[in-house]
Amino acid sequence: MMQGDTPELRRIVRWLEGQFEPGQLARVERVTKNAVRITDRWGDTDLVICRQDGDVEIMPVPEAC
């Protein structure tokens, strides 16, 4: 699992650790100072965002046209 270098990323990492079993995520990539792209071991990709109020939200990545 990646290390967070901003308070928002540290919050996301803690949230991910509570939501996913070890080994369930194949990849975690920083997108911005408050968002990461996750890919699970089955190849599904989502975006995880830390909002200004501290809430962490997971959303599907839109498919390309």
Side-chain angles (χ1 to χ4, degrees), residues 15 36 38 45-49 51 57-62:
W15 185 85
V36 298
I38 59 171
T45 302
D46 291 305
L47 194 63
V48 180
I49 299 171
R51 301 285 182 191
E57 180 179 332
I58 189 167
M59 24 190 346
V61 173

Side-chain angles (χ1 to χ4, degrees), residues 1-6 9-10 13 17 28 30:
M1 180 90 51
M2 68 174 273
Q3 296 295 317
D5 61 351
T6 68
L9 290 176
R10 285 190 292 274
V13 169
E17 289 171 346
V28 179
R30 178 185 172 148

